[in-house]
Amino acid sequence: MAESDRSERLTGKYFDAAIDLLRQVRDEEGDRITAAGQLIADTVAAGGRVFSFGAGHSSLPSQDTVYRAGGLAIMNLLSVPGVVGVDVRPATLGSALERVHGLAAAVLDTSPLEAGDVLVIISLSGRNSLPVEMAMNARALGIKVIGVTSVAYADATKPRHTSGSFLKDHCDLVLDSRIPVGDAELTLPGIDAPFAPASTVVTSAIMQAMVATAAGTLAERGIDPPLLRSGNVDGGHDWNARVMGEYADRIFYRQ
């Protein structure tokens, strides 16, 4: 097979794999995603705040909902220094910090989160101490927790938290990304390791569907959802300034 033909075949196979996962999540997790969006709408309507957290690459779908054109202005990132991005040096530090016991409690104790707020926790494996303790401690504080994870990891891996539990065990709602263990969709003779992860594609879609549901639910209740517009369209900056002014007490990424 010519090199160009093989590359084209791999391109198509990756898109097919990602589309299959998206369809599976839509069909099998749709009701729970809708419930998560409604929970966010309930929180906004009650004057609460919304935060999301993910470590390493799991932070990317979380960040994609913050200060986002077409998204809710009140989506805030719960930042944990050293684990939120892939710009950490060395890159392995973020992975190591995910396994540190007690870090989540320190983060929550110094965060703006309060009882009645919502925290979305994204962790593909859900097995490390940080996301597990984040969920445990948040719920103890009266914070509603939405977990976005691959439940398959609980059957195929050992938990790293001393409780022997996974993120999925400490959430008010669990959204299963259906990502296979190992997060790699393709294999090829001559390549020893599987490759082409799809977790970011699928988890980002889950997050955006959840936020879209929240916006629609608020509108159905007669509440104007605090949506942001693109700053690259005429009037976008003025629109955003108004929205962020109205919800200034629930927006923390401007400080």
Side-chain angles (χ1 to χ4, degrees), residues 122-134:
I122 302 172
S123 174
L124 178 59
S125 71
R127 68 187 297 220
N128 290 308
S129 294
L130 182 55
V132 172
E133 290 186 356
M134 191 76 76

Side-chain angles (χ1 to χ4, degrees), residues 125-209:
S125 71
R127 68 187 297 220
N128 290 308
S129 294
L130 182 55
V132 172
E133 290 186 356
M134 191 76 76
M136 294 173 68
N137 283 277
R139 293 183 81 192
L141 294 171
I143 298 162
K144 295 292 186 181
V145 174
I146 299 170
V148 185
T149 186
S150 172
V151 173
Y153 275 82
D155 296 325
T157 66
K158 294 180 180 179
R160 288 176 171 153
H161 189 256
T162 54
S163 66
S165 60
F166 287 78
L167 169 62
K168 72 176 184 64
D169 301 315
H170 304 284
C171 300
D172 295 281
L173 279 169
V174 176
L175 310 181
D176 187 355
S177 64
R178 306 285 171 148
I179 299 297
V181 175
D183 192 17
E185 297 301 317
L186 302 181
T187 59
L188 194 68
I191 300 179
D192 293 336
F195 57 100
S199 60
T200 303
V201 174
V202 175
T203 306
S204 291
I206 290 173
M207 292 294 290
Q208 294 298 345

Side-chain angles (χ1 to χ4, degrees), residues 28-184:
E28 299 180 18
E29 297 296 315
D31 289 345
R32 281 180 284 275
I33 294 171
T34 297
Q38 291 171 340
L39 176 57
I40 290 176
D42 292 342
T43 303
V44 175
R49 294 86 59 79
V50 184
F51 292 78
S52 60
F53 165 77
H57 288 92
S58 289
S59 178
L60 298 177
S62 181
Q63 294 181 50
D64 192 45
T65 64
V66 177
Y67 189 49
R68 189 70 165 86
L72 293 172
I74 47 76
M75 295 296 297
N76 297 281
L77 183 70
L78 180 61
S79 179
V80 180
V83 305
V84 173
V86 293
D87 58 344
V88 178
R89 295 293 183 273
T92 52
L93 174 62
S95 297
L97 289 174
E98 282 191 74
R99 298 192 290 272
V100 173
H101 296 285
L103 180 56
V107 170
L108 287 171
D109 286 346
T110 56
S111 78
L113 277 154
E114 299 176 350
D117 292 345
V118 167
L119 174 60
V120 182
I121 301 176
I122 302 172
S123 174
L124 178 59
S125 71
R127 68 187 297 220
N128 290 308
S129 294
L130 182 55
V132 172
E133 290 186 356
M134 191 76 76
M136 294 173 68
N137 283 277
R139 293 183 81 192
L141 294 171
I143 298 162
K144 295 292 186 181
V145 174
I146 299 170
V148 185
T149 186
S150 172
V151 173
Y153 275 82
D155 296 325
T157 66
K158 294 180 180 179
R160 288 176 171 153
H161 189 256
T162 54
S163 66
S165 60
F166 287 78
L167 169 62
K168 72 176 184 64
D169 301 315
H170 304 284
C171 300
D172 295 281
L173 279 169
V174 176
L175 310 181
D176 187 355
S177 64
R178 306 285 171 148
I179 299 297
V181 175
D183 192 17

